[in-house]
Amino acid sequence: MSAGSSSAFAARGLAPYLFLAPAALFALVFLVGPLGFALWVSTTDWNGIGAARPVGWGNYRYLFEQDPFFMRSLLNTFLFAAGSLIVGVPLALGIAVLIARSRLQSMWRMLFWLPMITNIVAIAYIWRFLLNDTNGLLNRALDLLGLPGPDWLTGINWAMPSLIMVSAWMTLGHNVLLFLAGLNEIDHSYHEAAELDGAGPLRLFWHVTLPLLRPTLLFVTVTSLITALSSFALMLVMTEGGPARATTVAGLYLYDMAFTDLRLGRASAAAFVLAAIILAFSLAQFRLLRRGGVERH
Amino acid sequence: MIQTLRTLRFVLATCLTLAGAVAPASAASPPTTLRVAAHYTAKQAAPLLACFKRYEAAHPGLRIDYQQVSYRDYLQTVLISRVGRSPADIYNLYSIWAPQLIGVGALDRPPPSLERLVRAAYTPATVQAATIGGRLWGMPSAVSVYQLVYNRRMLAAAGYRAPPRTWAELATIGAATVRRNRQGNVVRGGYAFGTTTANIAHTFYAQMYAAGVPPFTADGRGTNLRSPAAARIVREGAMLFRRGITSHAMTVGNFAGRAAAMTVLANWQKSALAEAFGDRFSSEVGVAPIPTDGPGGTMIYSFFWGVERASPSRPQAWALIRWLNEARGRDGLTCTGRMLGGMGDLTGNRADLAAMRGQLADPFSRGFVAALEAPGARPQANVWHAEEIDRLLRYYIELAWYGRMSPPAALATADREIRAILAEQPR
C-alpha cells in the first residue's frame, strides 16, 4: 500500500467520526452526562445545596421498604395510564371512523387537533373551572336537569376519573389523526369485497377495518401509555395531587420530593424506577409492534 | 504672564494628578452588584425598588439587582443558583425554609450590631420566627397572622350578630348560613377550609395554638399530634363536612366570592378581599379570634431578610438590609414597611406598625393587628423539612375528613411519620 492511499484511507476513516462529532458531543453533554449525574445523585443523600454523601442503594431501598407514599403514587400512575388508554383510545378510534366517512374531514381534523396546540396549563385551568363542584358549568347544567353533580375534583373517588377524562380529551386530536392516517391507508378493495359477501357495517369494522388497523392501534397505545405514565402537569394544576393524594402520580411525587423537600437523591432514585417501568412497558409493546408490522409508522 | 502660566500649569498638574489618582482606583475596584431575591412582583416591590435607586445614588459603585422569584419556586431557584455558583446576595426567606439552608451553611449570621437592633425594634414573635437553633439569622420582614374572617351580612341574615367563639357556635352558625342546591350540593358554605396544603395545615396549626397546645414540641423533634386537643380539632372539622356545613370543594376564595360565610385566613389577603367586596368591604367583612374551646391564640408566619454566606459582598448586603429596615422616610416608614403596608401586609417592626396606625385603622386590619400583639400569637415552628411535614399532615387530616381513618388514628400515623423526618435534623 502506497503512502498516498494510506493517508486517503486515514482521511476516509476519520471523516465519518468528524461528521458525527457534533451530534455525539451534544448527546454526551445533554443526554449521557445528565443521566450519569442523575444516576450518581440517586446513590447519594444530596439535597441540592450542601455536600452529597454516598448512600449506595439506600434511596432505592427506602422507596420500596419505608416510603409510605411511593408505591401509592406508582399505583395512581398505573390507574391513570390504564384509564387514559381505556377511555382515550377507543374514543379516538370511534371518532376517526366517523370522520373518515365525513365530507368535512379536514374541518373535523382541525377541530380535534386544537387541544394539542393549546398549552396544557391553560387546558388544566379551564377544566378546573368547568369541573368546579360549586360553580362549575358541568354541575350547574346537571342541577338544571335535576341531577346531582359529583365532586369532580374534590371527591376522593371522583378526582382520578375526572383527570382521566380530561387527559383523554387532551390527547384525542393526536390519536384521531393517527387513526385517520391508518384508516386512509386501508385499501378500499377489502371493504368492497366484504360488502359483496354481505358484511354489514359492524362486521366490516370488526373483521376488516380493525385487523388492518392493528399497527396503528398498537402505535397509538404505546405512545398514549408513555404519555400517561409520565404525566404530571395536569395533576399539579388541577388537583395538586389531592384529595388525600388520590391523584398524586409518580411524576408529581418525585417533583415535590426534589424541589419542595430538597431530597434530590431519593427523587433521582424514584425517577429511575419510573423510567425503568416505562422502559419495560415500551419494550414489551415494541415487541408487539414488530409482530404487527408497525415499522411503516 | 509667567506667573499666570505657572498657575495654569499647577492647576493642570493638580487636575491630572487627581484624575490619575481616581482613574486607577475605579479601575481597581469594579462596581459591586448586590442581587436581592424576593417573591414580590415588580408592582408590589415598587416602593422597595425606588429605595434601591436612592441607595445606589448615595453609594456610587454599588448596583442593586432585584430578582423576582415565584413563591412556589423560591427554594428551587436558590438551589439551582447555588449549584450554578451564582446565588443572590440577599434573600427574603419564609422562615420555615431557613433550617435546611442553615443546615448546609447557606446563610450568613448578621453582625452583632444588627442583631441588637432587631431585638430592640421588632415584636418578640417575629424575632423568634427569624431565630433557628437559638440564633438570629436575619431581619424580620412580612408577618401574617391567621384569624376567623366572617361575612357580617350572612350571619346577620341568619340571626347572628356576633361571630362564633367556640366549636359548638361555629357549627351552629355554619349550619344556619349554609346554602345547598336542589341536589343537596353546598353552593354557599357555612364555613370553608380550603383545599391547598397551606390552607389545611396552617389552619390546623392556628387551631392548635388557639387550643393552647403547640403542634410541635419545644425542641422541634416531636409533635403534639397525639394530644386530645389535636384529635378534637380534626374531629370537629370532619363533623362540619359530615353535617354538610362545608364541602371539600369549598376554598378560601369562596369567601371572597360570597360563597362562604366563614373561613380562617391570613391578613395578606386583605387587598384581594377589598377588591372583591368593593365599597362593602369594611361593613361586610368581620375579623374575629379563631373559635376554640381552649385559651385562644393563633399562628403567625414570617419572612426575613437573610444574606447568602457565599456572597462576596456580605458586609454591603447587611448594610443595605439595615438601611432598608431602619432609615425612615417622611411618612415615618422604612422601605420594607412602606412596601408591606402598600400590600396590606403586616410587619413586626414596632416603629413601622406605629407609623401605619392610620393605614391599619380599618376593622379588618385592627382585628389582625390585635391578634399579632396578643400573647396567644405564636410563630410557626421552624422545624426541619416543614413543607414536607405540612403535606404529610394535610394527607392524614384529609383522610380523617373523608372518613377513611379515625382522627386519632390519622394523627397517630402522621405523628410517627413526622417524627421520622424530624429525627433527621442534625443536632
Side-chain angles (χ1 to χ4, degrees):
Chain A
M1 191 185 281
S2 70
S5 65
S6 165
S7 67
F9 174 79
R12 268 202 310 274
L14 196 61
Y17 296 104
L18 285 175
F19 280 116
L20 281 173
L25 193 69
F26 181 87
L28 200 69
V29 173
F30 293 106
L31 298 173
V32 180
L35 205 66
F37 179 68
L39 190 63
W40 170 75
V41 170
S42 76
T43 61
T44 71
D45 70 347
W46 195 43
N47 62 9
I49 309 172
R53 281 181 314 164
V55 295
W57 294 101
N59 288 328
Y60 292 91
R61 274 202 303 274
Y62 176 85
L63 289 174
F64 289 104
E65 292 171 8
Q66 293 173 56
D67 192 315
F69 303 114
F70 182 63
M71 293 306 285
R72 171 77 196 268
S73 74
L74 279 183
L75 183 69
N76 285 343
T77 310
F78 293 137
L79 269 176
F80 178 74
S84 299
L85 282 188
I86 291 166
V87 177
V89 174
L91 190 67
L93 178 60
I95 289 170
V97 168
L98 290 175
I99 291 175
R101 294 176 179 184
S102 167
R103 285 180 188 169
L104 301 170
Q105 199 189 110
S106 53
M107 184 198 78
W108 288 116
R109 269 202 310 231
M110 191 191 73
L111 279 178
F112 281 107
W113 185 250
L114 277 179
M116 292 303 296
I117 55 167
T118 310
N119 185 291
I120 187 168
V121 176
I123 288 176
Y125 269 109
I126 288 167
W127 275 101
R128 211 171 81 167
F129 294 133
L130 287 173
L131 297 176
N132 184 284
D133 306 358
T134 317
N135 300 306
L137 210 61
L138 214 54
N139 272 5
R140 285 284 171 107
L142 288 172
D143 184 42
L144 286 175
L145 295 170
L147 296 168
D151 306 335
W152 296 106
L153 296 175
T154 56
I156 206 160
N157 296 322
W158 274 101
M160 184 56 93
S162 300
L163 290 181
I164 288 169
M165 187 174 75
V166 176
S167 163
W169 177 84
M170 255 171 46
T171 54
L172 197 62
H174 180 254
N175 293 345
V176 164
L177 278 197
L178 287 172
F179 279 129
L180 272 176
L183 286 168
N184 289 334
E185 272 189 30
I186 297 173
D187 198 324
H188 285 292
S189 58
Y190 292 115
H191 287 118
E192 284 165 9
E195 275 169 358
L196 282 174
D197 287 341
L202 208 62
R203 290 188 72 187
L204 205 64
F205 174 76
W206 196 253
H207 293 291
V208 180
T209 309
L210 206 56
L212 290 171
L213 206 58
R214 192 175 160 216
T216 314
L217 190 65
L218 286 168
F219 182 77
V220 169
T221 309
V222 172
T223 51
S224 299
L225 186 74
I226 293 173
T227 307
L229 285 174
S230 51
S231 279
F232 141 81
L234 204 60
M235 295 77 184
L236 181 71
V237 178
M238 290 187 73
T239 59
E240 285 187 45
R245 301 204 186 209
T247 60
T248 300
V249 290
L252 182 59
Y253 185 56
L254 67 92
Y255 171 83
D256 273 333
M257 210 191 279
F259 298 115
T260 310
D261 307 341
L262 300 185
R263 296 188 187 277
L264 266 77
R266 277 183 201 166
S268 298
F272 274 101
V273 172
L274 183 63
I277 291 167
I278 294 175
L279 188 69
F281 271 109
S282 305
L283 287 176
Q285 285 184 315
F286 277 127
R287 185 160 287 186
L288 281 171
L289 287 172
R290 269 196 217 106
R291 283 188 212 156
V294 81
E295 287 82 354
R296 285 182 298 161
H297 291 276
Chain B
M1 183 67 182
I2 290 169
Q3 187 59 39
T4 313
L5 281 172
R6 275 182 185 162
T7 312
L8 272 172
R9 206 162 59 190
F10 173 75
V11 170
L12 198 66
T14 310
C15 287
L16 284 171
T17 309
L18 281 174
V22 171
S26 47
S29 54
T32 302
T33 301
L34 289 178
R35 291 203 298 149
V36 180
H39 65 280
Y40 303 112
T41 62
K43 190 180 167 192
Q44 291 172 324
L48 199 68
L49 301 182
C51 287
F52 288 169
K53 294 276 178 220
R54 274 172 38 214
Y55 195 78
E56 282 173 337
H59 295 80
L62 183 80
R63 260 191 63 199
I64 304 168
D65 278 354
Y66 180 70
Q67 189 184 353
Q68 190 209 323
V69 183
S70 80
Y71 171 81
R72 188 180 170 96
D73 299 332
Y74 199 98
L75 262 189
Q76 187 181 341
T77 308
V78 172
L79 180 158
I80 292 166
S81 65
R82 293 196 100 243
V83 171
R85 309 237 178 252
S86 61
D89 301 281
I90 296 174
Y91 299 122
N92 186 244
L93 293 169
Y94 181 14
S95 69
I96 61 167
W97 296 333
Q100 282 160 273
L101 292 173
I102 293 163
V104 295
L107 290 187
D108 189 38
R109 289 284 316 275
S113 60
L114 193 123
E115 193 165 337
R116 282 194 296 275
L117 173 71
V118 170
R119 294 194 189 285
Y122 287 81
T123 55
T126 51
V127 178
Q128 204 182 329
T131 303
I132 291 105
R135 291 173 170 180
L136 187 75
W137 289 93
M139 201 138 194
S141 56
V143 178
S144 289
V145 58
Y146 286 95
Q147 286 289 72
L148 179 84
V149 177
Y150 62 98
N151 188 306
R152 289 177 198 275
R153 204 160 54 89
M154 288 181 195
L155 263 64
Y160 295 94
R161 295 217 168 272
R165 286 167 305 169
T166 62
W167 277 108
E169 286 178 13
L170 179 74
T172 308
I173 298 177
T177 49
V178 71
R179 292 282 177 276
R180 299 184 197 89
N181 65 12
R182 287 176 298 170
Q183 315 310 322
N185 290 353
V186 175
V187 290
R188 187 177 92 184
Y191 181 83
F193 273 105
T195 54
T196 68
T197 299
N199 289 157
I200 296 169
H202 288 188
T203 302
F204 174 77
Y205 294 148
Q207 288 164 334
M208 286 283 284
Y209 285 119
V213 182
F216 295 95
T217 55
D219 63 357
R221 291 187 176 269
T223 83
N224 291 316
L225 296 181
R226 290 174 191 261
S227 65
R232 169 87 195 273
I233 290 163
V234 178
R235 198 180 301 117
E236 294 288 351
M239 186 271 296
L240 294 178
F241 286 103
R242 222 174 27 251
R243 286 182 56 188
I245 292 168
T246 187
S247 84
H248 295 286
M250 281 286 139
T251 66
V252 171
N254 284 121
F255 182 82
R258 292 181 168 89
M262 295 180 283
T263 189
V264 167
L265 49 76
N267 53 282
W268 64 265
Q269 303 214 31
K270 179 185 174 183
S271 50
L273 289 179
E275 198 176 321
F277 282 88
D279 295 343
R280 307 185 72 159
F281 173 60
S282 289
S283 60
E284 202 165 333
V285 179
V287 177
I290 290 172
T292 180
D293 296 331
T298 186
M299 183 185 87
I300 67 168
Y301 67 96
S302 323
F303 286 72
F304 68 85
W305 295 109
V307 171
E308 165 65 52
R309 199 172 169 194
S311 164
S313 318
R314 294 195 302 272
Q316 291 97 321
W318 283 119
L320 173 62
I321 289 177
R322 182 174 189 136
W323 182 79
L324 289 174
N325 295 281
E326 193 181 31
R328 300 189 177 279
R330 284 182 200 153
D331 53 4
L333 291 166
T334 64
C335 291
T336 303
R338 195 172 304 118
M339 175 184 71
L340 297 176
M343 293 186 296
D345 265 3
L346 294 175
T347 168
N349 186 316
R350 287 199 182 101
D352 273 340
L353 273 176
M356 285 180 192
R357 282 292 168 202
Q359 213 173 315
L360 301 174
D362 62 287
F364 184 89
S365 300
R366 272 206 315 268
F368 283 99
V369 173
L372 186 67
E373 290 169 344
R378 296 271 183 267
Q380 182 176 13
N382 292 325
V383 292
W384 190 249
H385 279 273
E387 287 198 300
E388 188 178 355
I389 287 172
D390 286 355
R391 278 208 323 281
L392 211 142
L393 188 60
R394 170 199 172 176
Y395 170 66
Y396 286 107
I397 290 174
E398 280 186 326
L399 283 184
W401 285 352
Y402 280 97
R404 299 287 170 109
M405 277 180 109
S406 72
L411 289 167
T413 317
D415 172 66
R416 195 178 63 238
E417 287 170 16
I418 290 170
R419 277 176 192 272
I421 294 171
L422 296 175
E424 295 171 9
Q425 181 167 15
R427 286 192 183 270

Coordinates of all heavy atoms in Angstrom, one line a residue, chain B residues 348-404:
Chain B
G348 N -43.3 43.2 61.7 CA -43.0 43.0 63.2 C -42.2 44.3 63.7 O -41.9 44.3 64.9
N349 N -41.9 45.2 62.8 CA -41.2 46.4 63.1 C -42.1 47.4 63.9 O -43.1 47.9 63.3 CB -40.6 47.0 61.8 CG -39.7 48.2 62.1 OD1 -40.0 49.0 63.0 ND2 -38.6 48.3 61.4
R350 N -41.8 47.6 65.2 CA -42.8 48.3 66.0 C -43.0 49.8 65.5 O -44.1 50.3 65.5 CB -42.2 48.4 67.5 CG -42.4 47.1 68.2 CD -42.2 47.3 69.7 NE -42.3 46.1 70.4 CZ -41.3 45.4 70.9 NH1 -40.1 45.9 70.7 NH2 -41.4 44.3 71.6
A351 N -41.8 50.4 65.1 CA -42.0 51.8 64.6 C -42.8 51.9 63.3 O -43.6 52.8 63.1 CB -40.6 52.4 64.4
D352 N -42.6 50.9 62.5 CA -43.4 50.8 61.2 C -44.9 50.6 61.6 O -45.8 51.3 61.0 CB -43.0 49.7 60.3 CG -41.8 50.1 59.4 OD1 -41.7 51.3 59.2 OD2 -41.1 49.2 58.9
L353 N -45.2 49.7 62.5 CA -46.5 49.5 62.9 C -47.2 50.8 63.5 O -48.3 51.1 63.2 CB -46.6 48.4 64.0 CG -46.7 46.9 63.5 CD1 -46.6 46.0 64.7 CD2 -47.9 46.7 62.7
A354 N -46.4 51.5 64.2 CA -46.9 52.8 64.8 C -47.2 53.8 63.7 O -48.2 54.5 63.7 CB -45.9 53.4 65.8
A355 N -46.3 53.8 62.7 CA -46.5 54.8 61.6 C -47.6 54.3 60.7 O -48.2 55.2 60.0 CB -45.2 54.8 60.7
M356 N -48.0 53.0 60.7 CA -49.0 52.5 59.9 C -50.4 52.7 60.6 O -51.4 52.2 60.0 CB -48.8 51.1 59.5 CG -47.8 50.8 58.5 SD -47.7 49.0 58.3 CE -46.2 48.7 57.4
R357 N -50.4 53.2 61.8 CA -51.7 53.2 62.5 C -52.9 53.6 61.7 O -53.9 53.0 61.7 CB -51.6 54.1 63.8 CG -50.8 53.4 64.9 CD -51.5 52.2 65.6 NE -50.6 51.5 66.4 CZ -50.8 50.2 66.8 NH1 -51.8 49.5 66.4 NH2 -49.9 49.6 67.6
G358 N -52.7 54.7 61.0 CA -53.8 55.2 60.2 C -54.2 54.2 59.2 O -55.4 54.0 58.9
Q359 N -53.2 53.7 58.5 CA -53.5 52.7 57.5 C -54.1 51.4 58.0 O -54.8 50.7 57.3 CB -52.1 52.3 56.9 CG -52.0 52.0 55.4 CD -50.5 51.9 55.0 OE1 -49.7 52.7 55.4 NE2 -50.3 50.9 54.3
L360 N -53.8 51.1 59.2 CA -54.4 49.9 59.8 C -55.6 50.1 60.7 O -55.9 49.3 61.6 CB -53.3 49.2 60.7 CG -52.0 48.8 59.9 CD1 -50.9 48.3 60.9 CD2 -52.3 47.8 58.8
A361 N -56.2 51.3 60.5 CA -57.3 51.6 61.4 C -58.6 51.0 61.0 O -59.6 51.0 61.8 CB -57.5 53.2 61.4
D362 N -58.7 50.4 59.8 CA -60.0 49.8 59.4 C -60.2 48.5 60.2 O -59.3 47.9 60.7 CB -59.9 49.4 57.9 CG -58.8 48.4 57.6 OD1 -57.6 48.8 57.6 OD2 -59.2 47.3 57.3
P363 N -61.5 48.1 60.3 CA -61.8 47.0 61.2 C -61.1 45.7 60.9 O -60.7 44.9 61.7 CB -63.3 46.8 61.0 CG -63.8 48.1 60.4 CD -62.7 48.7 59.7
F364 N -60.9 45.5 59.6 CA -60.2 44.3 59.1 C -58.8 44.2 59.7 O -58.4 43.3 60.4 CB -60.2 44.2 57.6 CG -59.6 43.0 57.0 CD1 -60.4 41.8 56.8 CD2 -58.3 42.9 56.7 CE1 -59.9 40.7 56.2 CE2 -57.7 41.7 56.2 CZ -58.5 40.6 55.9
S365 N -58.0 45.3 59.4 CA -56.6 45.3 59.9 C -56.6 45.3 61.4 O -55.7 44.6 62.0 CB -55.9 46.5 59.3 OG -56.0 46.5 57.9
R366 N -57.5 46.0 62.0 CA -57.4 46.1 63.5 C -57.5 44.7 64.1 O -56.8 44.4 65.1 CB -58.6 47.0 64.0 CG -58.3 48.4 64.1 CD -59.1 49.2 65.2 NE -60.5 48.8 65.1 CZ -61.4 49.5 64.4 NH1 -61.1 50.5 63.7 NH2 -62.7 49.1 64.5
G367 N -58.4 43.9 63.5 CA -58.5 42.5 64.1 C -57.2 41.7 64.0 O -56.9 41.0 64.9
F368 N -56.5 41.9 62.9 CA -55.3 41.2 62.7 C -54.1 41.7 63.6 O -53.3 41.0 64.1 CB -54.9 41.1 61.3 CG -55.7 40.1 60.5 CD1 -56.8 40.6 59.7 CD2 -55.4 38.8 60.5 CE1 -57.6 39.7 59.0 CE2 -56.2 37.9 59.8 CZ -57.3 38.3 59.1
V369 N -54.1 43.1 63.7 CA -53.0 43.7 64.5 C -53.2 43.3 66.0 O -52.2 43.0 66.7 CB -53.0 45.2 64.3 CG1 -52.1 45.9 65.3 CG2 -52.7 45.6 62.9
A370 N -54.5 43.3 66.4 CA -54.8 42.9 67.8 C -54.3 41.4 68.0 O -53.7 41.1 69.0 CB -56.2 43.0 68.1
A371 N -54.5 40.6 67.0 CA -54.1 39.2 67.1 C -52.6 39.1 67.2 O -52.0 38.3 67.9 CB -54.6 38.4 66.0
L372 N -51.9 39.9 66.4 CA -50.5 39.9 66.3 C -49.8 40.2 67.6 O -48.8 39.7 68.0 CB -50.0 40.8 65.2 CG -48.5 40.9 64.8 CD1 -48.1 39.6 64.2 CD2 -48.2 42.0 63.9
E373 N -50.5 41.2 68.3 CA -49.9 41.7 69.6 C -50.3 40.9 70.8 O -49.8 41.1 71.9 CB -50.2 43.2 69.7 CG -49.5 44.0 68.7 CD -49.9 45.5 68.6 OE1 -51.0 45.7 69.1 OE2 -49.2 46.3 68.1
A374 N -51.3 40.0 70.6 CA -51.8 39.2 71.7 C -50.8 38.2 72.1 O -50.1 37.6 71.3 CB -53.2 38.6 71.3
P375 N -50.8 37.8 73.4 CA -49.8 36.8 73.9 C -50.0 35.4 73.3 O -49.1 34.6 73.2 CB -50.0 36.8 75.4 CG -51.4 37.4 75.6 CD -51.6 38.4 74.5
G376 N -51.3 35.1 72.8 CA -51.5 33.8 72.3 C -51.0 33.6 70.9 O -51.1 32.5 70.4
A377 N -50.5 34.6 70.2 CA -50.0 34.5 68.9 C -48.6 33.9 68.9 O -47.7 34.5 69.5 CB -50.0 35.9 68.2
R378 N -48.4 32.8 68.3 CA -47.2 32.1 68.3 C -46.6 31.9 66.9 O -47.3 31.7 65.9 CB -47.4 30.7 68.9 CG -47.8 30.7 70.3 CD -46.6 30.7 71.2 NE -47.0 30.6 72.6 CZ -47.2 31.7 73.4 NH1 -47.0 32.9 72.9 NH2 -47.5 31.5 74.7
P379 N -45.3 32.1 66.7 CA -44.7 31.9 65.4 C -44.8 30.5 65.0 O -44.6 29.6 65.8 CB -43.3 32.4 65.6 CG -43.0 32.3 67.0 CD -44.3 32.4 67.8
Q380 N -44.9 30.3 63.7 CA -44.9 28.9 63.1 C -43.5 28.3 63.5 O -42.5 29.0 63.4 CB -45.0 29.0 61.6 CG -45.0 27.7 60.9 CD -45.3 27.8 59.4 OE1 -45.2 28.8 58.8 NE2 -45.6 26.6 58.8
A381 N -43.6 27.1 63.9 CA -42.3 26.4 64.3 C -41.4 26.2 63.1 O -41.9 25.7 62.1 CB -42.7 25.1 65.0
N382 N -40.2 26.6 63.2 CA -39.2 26.4 62.1 C -38.6 25.0 62.2 O -37.4 24.9 62.6 CB -38.1 27.5 62.2 CG -38.6 28.9 61.9 OD1 -39.5 29.0 61.1 ND2 -38.1 29.9 62.6
V383 N -39.4 24.0 61.9 CA -38.9 22.7 62.0 C -38.3 22.2 60.7 O -38.5 22.8 59.7 CB -40.1 21.7 62.4 CG1 -40.6 22.0 63.8 CG2 -41.2 21.8 61.5
W384 N -37.5 21.1 60.9 CA -36.8 20.5 59.8 C -37.8 20.0 58.7 O -38.8 19.4 59.0 CB -36.0 19.3 60.3 CG -35.0 18.7 59.4 CD1 -35.1 17.5 58.8 CD2 -33.8 19.3 58.9 NE1 -34.0 17.2 58.1 CE2 -33.2 18.3 58.1 CE3 -33.2 20.5 59.1 CZ2 -32.0 18.5 57.5 CZ3 -31.9 20.7 58.5 CH2 -31.4 19.8 57.7
H385 N -37.6 20.3 57.4 CA -38.5 19.9 56.3 C -39.9 20.3 56.6 O -40.8 19.4 56.4 CB -38.3 18.4 56.1 CG -37.1 18.0 55.3 ND1 -37.1 18.0 53.9 CD2 -35.9 17.7 55.7 CE1 -35.9 17.7 53.5 NE2 -35.1 17.5 54.5
A386 N -40.2 21.5 57.0 CA -41.5 21.9 57.4 C -42.6 21.7 56.3 O -43.7 21.3 56.5 CB -41.5 23.4 57.8
E387 N -42.2 22.0 55.0 CA -43.2 21.9 53.9 C -43.6 20.5 53.7 O -44.7 20.2 53.4 CB -42.7 22.6 52.7 CG -42.6 24.1 52.8 CD -42.6 24.8 51.4 OE1 -41.6 24.6 50.8 OE2 -43.5 25.6 51.1
E388 N -42.6 19.6 53.8 CA -42.8 18.2 53.6 C -43.8 17.7 54.7 O -44.7 16.9 54.5 CB -41.5 17.4 53.7 CG -41.7 15.9 53.4 CD -40.3 15.2 53.4 OE1 -39.3 15.8 53.6 OE2 -40.3 14.0 53.2
I389 N -43.5 18.2 55.9 CA -44.4 17.8 57.1 C -45.8 18.4 56.9 O -46.8 17.7 57.1 CB -43.8 18.4 58.4 CG1 -42.5 17.5 58.7 CG2 -44.8 18.4 59.5 CD1 -41.7 18.0 59.8
D390 N -45.9 19.6 56.3 CA -47.3 20.2 56.1 C -48.0 19.3 55.1 O -49.2 19.0 55.3 CB -47.1 21.6 55.4 CG -46.7 22.6 56.4 OD1 -46.6 22.3 57.6 OD2 -46.4 23.8 56.0
R391 N -47.4 18.8 54.1 CA -48.1 18.0 53.1 C -48.5 16.6 53.7 O -49.6 16.1 53.4 CB -47.1 17.7 51.9 CG -47.1 18.8 50.9 CD -46.8 18.3 49.4 NE -45.9 17.3 49.3 CZ -44.6 17.4 49.4 NH1 -44.0 18.6 49.6 NH2 -43.8 16.4 49.3
L392 N -47.6 16.1 54.5 CA -47.9 14.8 55.2 C -49.1 15.0 56.1 O -50.1 14.2 56.1 CB -46.7 14.4 56.0 CG -46.5 12.9 56.2 CD1 -45.0 12.7 56.1 CD2 -47.0 12.5 57.5
L393 N -49.1 16.1 56.8 CA -50.2 16.4 57.8 C -51.5 16.6 57.0 O -52.6 16.0 57.4 CB -49.8 17.6 58.6 CG -50.8 17.9 59.8 CD1 -50.8 16.8 60.8 CD2 -50.3 19.2 60.4
R394 N -51.4 17.3 55.9 CA -52.6 17.5 55.1 C -53.3 16.2 54.7 O -54.5 16.0 54.8 CB -52.3 18.3 53.9 CG -53.4 18.4 52.8 CD -52.9 18.8 51.5 NE -54.0 18.7 50.5 CZ -53.9 19.0 49.2 NH1 -52.8 19.5 48.8 NH2 -54.9 18.9 48.4
Y395 N -52.4 15.3 54.3 CA -52.9 14.0 53.8 C -53.7 13.3 54.9 O -54.8 12.8 54.7 CB -51.7 13.1 53.4 CG -52.0 11.7 53.1 CD1 -52.9 11.4 52.0 CD2 -51.5 10.7 53.8 CE1 -53.2 10.0 51.7 CE2 -51.8 9.3 53.6 CZ -52.6 9.0 52.5 OH -52.9 7.7 52.3
Y396 N -53.1 13.2 56.1 CA -53.8 12.5 57.2 C -55.0 13.2 57.7 O -56.0 12.6 58.0 CB -52.8 12.2 58.3 CG -51.9 11.1 57.9 CD1 -50.5 11.3 57.6 CD2 -52.3 9.8 57.7 CE1 -49.7 10.3 57.1 CE2 -51.5 8.7 57.3 CZ -50.2 9.0 57.0 OH -49.3 8.0 56.6
I397 N -55.0 14.5 57.7 CA -56.2 15.3 58.1 C -57.3 15.0 57.0 O -58.5 14.8 57.4 CB -55.9 16.8 58.2 CG1 -55.0 17.1 59.4 CG2 -57.2 17.6 58.3 CD1 -54.5 18.5 59.5
E398 N -56.9 15.0 55.8 CA -57.9 14.8 54.7 C -58.5 13.3 54.8 O -59.7 13.2 54.7 CB -57.3 14.9 53.3 CG -57.2 16.4 52.9 CD -56.8 16.6 51.5 OE1 -55.9 15.8 51.0 OE2 -57.2 17.5 50.8
L399 N -57.6 12.4 55.2 CA -58.2 11.0 55.3 C -59.2 11.0 56.4 O -60.2 10.3 56.3 CB -57.0 10.0 55.7 CG -56.1 9.6 54.6 CD1 -55.1 8.6 55.1 CD2 -56.9 9.0 53.4
A400 N -59.0 11.7 57.5 CA -59.9 11.8 58.6 C -61.2 12.5 58.2 O -62.3 12.1 58.5 CB -59.3 12.5 59.8
W401 N -61.1 13.6 57.4 CA -62.2 14.3 56.9 C -63.1 13.5 56.0 O -64.3 13.6 56.0 CB -61.8 15.6 56.2 CG -61.3 16.7 57.0 CD1 -61.3 16.8 58.4 CD2 -60.7 17.9 56.6 NE1 -60.8 18.0 58.8 CE2 -60.4 18.7 57.7 CE3 -60.3 18.4 55.3 CZ2 -59.8 19.9 57.6 CZ3 -59.7 19.7 55.2 CH2 -59.5 20.4 56.4
Y402 N -62.4 12.7 55.2 CA -63.2 11.8 54.2 C -63.7 10.6 54.9 O -64.3 9.7 54.2 CB -62.3 11.4 53.0 CG -62.1 12.5 52.0 CD1 -61.1 13.4 52.0 CD2 -63.1 12.7 51.0 CE1 -60.9 14.4 51.0 CE2 -63.0 13.7 50.0 CZ -61.9 14.5 50.0 OH -61.8 15.5 49.1
G403 N -63.4 10.4 56.2 CA -63.9 9.2 56.9 C -63.1 8.0 56.6 O -63.5 6.9 56.9
R404 N -61.9 8.1 56.0 CA -61.1 6.9 55.7 C -60.3 6.4 56.9 O -59.8 5.3 57.0 CB -60.1 7.2 54.6 CG -60.8 7.6 53.3 CD -61.5 6.4 52.6 NE -62.3 6.7 51.5 CZ -62.0 6.5 50.3 NH1 -60.9 5.9 49.9 NH2 -62.9 6.8 49.3

